[in-house]
Amino acid sequence: MVKLNLEQAETIEMGTRASMNLPPGVQPVRPTPVADTLSKPFWLAASRGELAIQRCNRCGKYFHPPTVHCMQCNDAELVFQPVSGLGTVVAVTVMHEARVSGFEGVTPYTCVLVELDEQQGLSIASNYVGGRGQDVRAGTRVRAVFEPVDVDTVLPQFGPAS
Amino acid sequence: MTSAAIVGAAYSHPIVRHADVPIGALARQAALAAINDAEIRSSEIDGLAVYVNPSRMGAGTTDGIDLVSATFMARSLGLSEVHWSVQLNPGSFVGSIAEASRAVASGACKYALVWRAMHNPPGQFGRYTSREAGGADQYLAPYGLSNYVMQHALQYSRYLAKYGATREHLATYIVGNRENAAQVPESVFFGKGIDKEDYLDGRVIAHPYTLLDCDMPVDVCTAVVVTSAASTANGHRRPVYIQGSASLGYRPEAHVINTLEDFEAGAAQVGRTLWKNVDIGPDDIDIANIYDGFSGFVYFLLEGYGFCSRGEAFEFIQDGRVARNGQLPINTNGGSLGMGRLHGGAQVVEAVRQIQQRCGTRQVPEPQHVLVSSGNPANSHGVMVLSKYPD
């Protein structure tokens, strides 16, 4: 179980709920991520408000999702490194229907695919939070923010970089 | 190098949103119809190939209800001697036909039955209901991104931004495609044409994908019978020869979700492999029954197969080129968008009928080579060339 650092949680941007147009008093139960052997450090870092991506210690290539061994140089020594949290949106979609349990009442909601500054093609998916869905498009600069969703889980999200 | 042929093909009938019987019954019906079309007895089937993935989120695993396994089919048909069988996952319907073509060519079995059974349960199709998201879902479901329409909308959205296409460009295909489907009695859209405004003003599901960009889920099964080219000398009515194929699709990097570039790399890889396995090129194709489960696939696959360059498909499809009477007709029966979510079944059966000259008012004059495909090109694709003659 991943323990949330509650003090850090106070400073985490809480505007995310409002930006998802939730009616007052409604808390949707969204699917919770279940960490595996490879991804545990990613979620642990997220719980501390940090975006950390797996990286090959020898050749420096980043992998997301995390991999078993470096697919570039075959080295087995992979570590999770904090990244800047900055990136560029490469694709956007706005979902108008609730087809994932827990997303009733928050439609339409925006999802983005973000290419992190650290490496071409290094992409991560999230919602677009803390800004207007209609303002985001391919090329929008974004930065990571962190959304606690329950006592154990913090989700990396992306919002406007400025 | 043609060593196999399709000698029988059929859908279950009628194609409906929700059938009164489980898909196991539809699979039996389609199998018997394909066997009858091949003019053989069901006891002559000694090979089975199937892509079993139900291809919807939240699917159950009950044989005969959610999927139809090879074991189910063998029992249903009372087959006592199955010499060869394979179940694919990942895979595709066209890919499973490719497997059967190799089995019959090698002599592993004489007549292989290949099918694709699709179930549309009551309620919202493909709803993600897991409270916990593990595996690949952990990076998507918590954000509400565990839905095929959304995932494919991301790639199409990037295509539009990357190459400067608009939704209007794809309207050409959608409207023409629906016109094809409206002439097919078995189609869910028989008699129901649409115009450009119907498409552009349509109900948005996951922007930029609307209802008319997604194939309609139905309860259906498609089946074909495959045999060796040598066996067709025994006088099958009108064998349709399998000239060559390519399967799956490979992209060099794993991502949390397939990107447009993954699709482009995968489509290019299956394209290269296909042309290596046949004696012809894109210019020799008379009809392209390209997988169109989501409308954007038409672009990615036209480009990947080499009919046009990357980023040019949205212009390539204009000016009547891909209409039924155009230079390169695409999906003369409306494909998946027109017939329903047959997952490659519409592409294959139509190709067989066109080559056999059995398409009535929508017959294309004397097609010699028809390309068929199904599945997403990043890792679950199959593409094949079907030909009138063995050489």
Side-chain angles (χ1 to χ4, degrees), chain B residues 168 171 175 194-202 212:
Chain B
E168 285 220 5
V175 172
I194 55 169
D195 60 30
K196 191 163 121 175
E197 278 62 45
D198 292 327
Y199 172 62
L200 294 176
D201 299 335
L212 294 178

Side-chain angles (χ1 to χ4, degrees), chain B residues 238-250:
Chain B
R238 269 171 290 196
V240 171
Y241 293 93
I242 296 170
Q243 210 193 122
S245 63
S247 287
L248 286 189
Y250 172 75

Side-chain angles (χ1 to χ4, degrees), chain B residues 61 128 131 172 229:
Chain B
T61 55
Y128 188 95
R131 289 288 302 272
T172 308

Side-chain angles (χ1 to χ4, degrees), chain B residues 63 102 104 148 198 228 238:
Chain B
D63 208 352
R102 287 185 262 277
V104 298
Y148 291 154
D198 292 327
S228 65
R238 269 171 290 196

Side-chain angles (χ1 to χ4, degrees), chain B residues 1 3 13-14 30 54-56 60 77 96 136 142 159 176 193 200 203 222 229 239 245 278 282 340 348 378:
Chain B
M1 202 192 62
S3 42
H13 178 79
S55 292
R56 61 184 162 82
L77 297 182
S96 58
Y159 183 96
L200 294 176
R203 176 177 131 210
T222 311
S245 63
V278 297
V348 171

